Each structure stands twice: as C-alpha cells, then as structure tokens.
Amino acid sequence: MPPLTYANYLDLEKLLTLQKPRSTPAEHDEMLFIIIHQTYELWFKQLLHEFEKIKMDFSAGDLFGAIHSFKRTRTIMKTLVGQIDILETMTPSSFSSFRDRLETASGFQSVQFRELEYLLGYKRPVALAHVKPDFPGADRLQTRVGERTVVDRFYDFLETRGAQIPDDVKNRDVTQPNGPDERVQKEILSLYKQSPECSILFELMTDFDEGLQEWRYRHIKLVERTIGAKKGTGGSPGVPFLKESLFRPIFHDLWAIRREL
Ligand code: HEM
C-alpha cells in the first residue's frame, strides 16, 4: 500500500479529470460552468448528509445536536447563494457559444436537488416526472417519496418538548408535501415564548429556509440575465416555472407564527 498522501486521500487524480468540456474548439467559460455545477452537487451531497443527522437529532430530542447542524446547513446555503456571483461573470453570448452542447441536460434533472426538496418536505410530482428511472440516484429519490421528512421529524422533536401534535398530523400520508397546520403553530408559539433554547433552533431553521428561497431568487435572476425568456434546456417554460416555487417555504409553521411573536 502506498503511503497516504493529500492526493490519494482525496482521490484527486480522479476528481481533476472529471471536467470534460464538450465544445470544440473549447469555449473558455465552459470549464467554469462545469466546475460550478460539480461544486453545487458536492454541497448538495453534504447537505443531504447533514439533514440525515438532523432527522435523527429531532427524533431523539437532541436540541443542541440540531442547533449545531442547522448552523452548518445555513452556512452552506449562504455559500451556495454566493457562488452565483461567480457564474454571473459569464455573459449571455459566452453561454450561447456552448449552450447547444448541453442538449436537454439541465439542473432540472439534478437528482440530489430533488432529494433535498423531498427529504425536507417539499414533495412535488413535477420533480419525479423529469427524473428518468435510469438516472443515477433515481431509486434513492423514489425511496425518499415514502420516507418521513425533516418536517415530520420536527414534529417528533416538538413532542419531546411537551408539544401536543395531533394524530392526523403525525399519521399523515408521507408521500405528500408537508403543509401548514394551525394547531402545530399554537404549540410552536408557546415553546417560542417559554423556551429560549428552542427559539434559537427555530431561528436557525428559518435562516436555512430563507437561504433556500434566496438561492431560488438568485438562480432565477441568473437565468433571466443569461437566457432571458428562452425556454430551459430541461424543457420547462424557464423563468415562469421557476417562479412557482420562489416564495414557497419548507417550514410553513415557523413563518406563519411570526405575526404573533
Ligand atoms: C447559466 C446558468 C444557468 C441557467 C441558464 C439555468 C437555467 C435553468 C432553467 C431554465 C431551469 C428550469 C428548468 C429547465 O427547463 O431547464 C433551471 C432549473 C434548475 N437549475 Fe439552473 N440554470 C443555470 C445554472 C444553474 C446552477 C449553477 C445550478 C446549480 C446546481 C442550477 C440548478 C438548477 C436546479 C436545481 C433547477 C431545478 C429548480 C426547480 O425545479 O425549482 N442551475 N435552470
């Protein structure tokens, strides 16, 4: 066995040969386009990893574990938003020079992004419709359809803090998206007021949720300035489709109670 080095621990030889521009002659900006998407996918992988832990923390009532991990996920989210600045240095004409090479490939088909939405609680059928069964990871996404979400596990957490979660909420059909519930909001509200440590967690969850919406907004603006009203390579109407989820929260109940605080 060769001694462990920086390069073989990180498998750099493999990693650094995974950038394969398709344009000939090579368009300078295609490298950036590939690297930025690969970087996003790596961060999506890390987010999925963190949220698996958060799910366990929630069910175990581990408040400080969840606080710690939400701090990390919201910080990753800020990096994901910040990275858009780099891609916005690519002009529309530069993108057009290799866009045809993308054929029908699109972030629309990112299985990990969909997994993230599903794992959090935003299970929308449109996502499955665009992930073909032979895509790598399509089976993982299918498994997530039937799994309890981060929001479902959040209900577990609230119960460990003495909240009353109605049976129909606890036994809901987990293949559907999570939605708001006024009875749950009442319980969260009283914890907000009585338990400062829980309110820290609720604020961090709201930070993450706001970060995801911020990412959606910045992505839409990136799309608008780069391709305008053109349709997406993934076959959606483009910007109008993306606007559908723009202000949609993950943690509905945490947003709904804010007028009462
Ligand atoms: C020039 C840059 C970009 C353009 C023009 C662009 C364009 C689009 C368009 C038009 C869509 C709608 C679906 C379609 O019909 O294709 C879309 C969806 C999506 N894109 Fe991008 N995109 C860009 C960069 C990125 C980057 C850097 C990421 C990072 C991973 C990304 C991730 C996504 C995701 C996850 C979706 C699905 C969003 C949803 O369903 O709400 N895109 N993109």
Side-chain angles (χ1 to χ4, degrees):
M1 276 282 268
L4 192 65
T5 62
Y6 176 78
N8 61 25
Y9 178 63
L10 298 173
D11 216 346
L12 285 186
E13 214 174 324
K14 217 187 260 171
L15 183 67
L16 299 177
T17 51
L18 295 176
Q19 296 69 43
K20 299 175 186 136
R22 297 174 67 90
S23 49
T24 40
E27 291 295 338
H28 180 81
D29 282 1
E30 193 178 355
M31 182 64 90
L32 172 69
F33 191 75
I34 292 172
I35 287 186
I36 209 132
H37 280 86
Q38 289 182 339
T39 313
Y40 272 107
E41 289 294 333
L42 287 173
W43 283 124
F44 291 160
K45 183 170 182 173
Q46 185 66 30
L47 283 176
L48 290 167
H49 187 61
E50 297 297 338
F51 279 113
E52 284 303 334
K53 173 182 172 293
I54 286 174
K55 277 180 12 182
M56 288 190 292
D57 288 343
F58 273 166
S59 292
D62 183 353
L63 172 69
F64 293 111
I67 285 180
H68 177 70
S69 296
F70 261 103
K71 257 190 179 165
R72 184 172 295 166
T73 60
R74 72 138 190 210
T75 312
I76 294 173
M77 211 57 235
K78 283 185 193 300
T79 295
L80 296 190
V81 172
Q83 275 184 196
I84 288 185
D85 290 343
I86 310 175
L87 199 52
E88 283 183 344
T89 62
M90 178 180 72
T91 62
S93 57
S94 168
F95 183 50
S96 305
S97 66
F98 63 88
R99 189 177 189 232
D100 285 350
R101 300 294 173 140
L102 304 179
E103 299 175 11
T104 55
S106 159
F108 209 29
Q109 299 163 338
S110 166
V111 173
Q112 289 203 108
F113 185 79
R114 294 303 174 212
E115 275 191 77
L116 195 58
E117 287 189 337
Y118 277 33
L119 171 134
L120 287 165
Y122 187 14
K123 298 190 183 183
R124 43 179 177 159
V126 64
L128 278 184
H130 290 272
V131 172
K132 304 217 171 75
D134 62 338
F135 282 6
D139 49 337
R140 285 197 317 264
L141 185 61
Q142 201 60 54
T143 307
R144 291 197 190 275
V145 176
E147 280 177 358
R148 295 179 74 229
T149 65
V150 168
V151 174
D152 294 319
R153 302 291 194 118
F154 180 52
Y155 300 146
D156 294 353
F157 171 78
L158 295 173
E159 277 194 315
T160 68
R161 296 278 141 174
Q164 303 290 320
I165 304 297
D167 283 343
D168 59 300
V169 172
K170 281 197 285 189
N171 302 322
R172 72 176 200 96
D173 175 1
V174 296
T175 64
Q176 297 303 307
N178 291 100
D181 189 286
E182 282 182 14
R183 296 161 300 171
V184 174
Q185 287 158 26
K186 255 199 195 142
E187 299 292 308
I188 296 178
L189 199 56
S190 72
L191 277 172
Y192 233 118
K193 291 183 172 158
Q194 286 156 25
S195 165
E197 64 270 29
C198 282
S199 75
I200 291 173
L201 172 67
F202 300 157
E203 287 301 301
L204 286 169
M205 292 170 72
T206 310
D207 282 349
F208 171 82
D209 208 352
E210 192 172 337
L212 183 57
Q213 292 174 52
E214 215 179 326
W215 183 84
R216 292 190 194 280
Y217 170 77
R218 289 295 310 274
H219 174 256
I220 290 178
K221 287 290 149 192
L222 164 71
V223 175
E224 266 185 340
R225 67 186 283 166
T226 313
I227 61 167
K230 288 183 201 163
K231 280 190 176 166
T233 48
S236 88
V239 171
F241 162 76
L242 294 169
K243 281 187 177 164
E244 282 171 23
S245 56
L246 182 54
F247 292 116
R248 193 208 182 269
I250 296 294
F251 305 118
H252 294 274
D253 294 326
L254 290 180
W255 291 94
I257 59 169
R258 301 196 79 85
R259 61 174 183 273
E260 317 278 348
L261 289 168

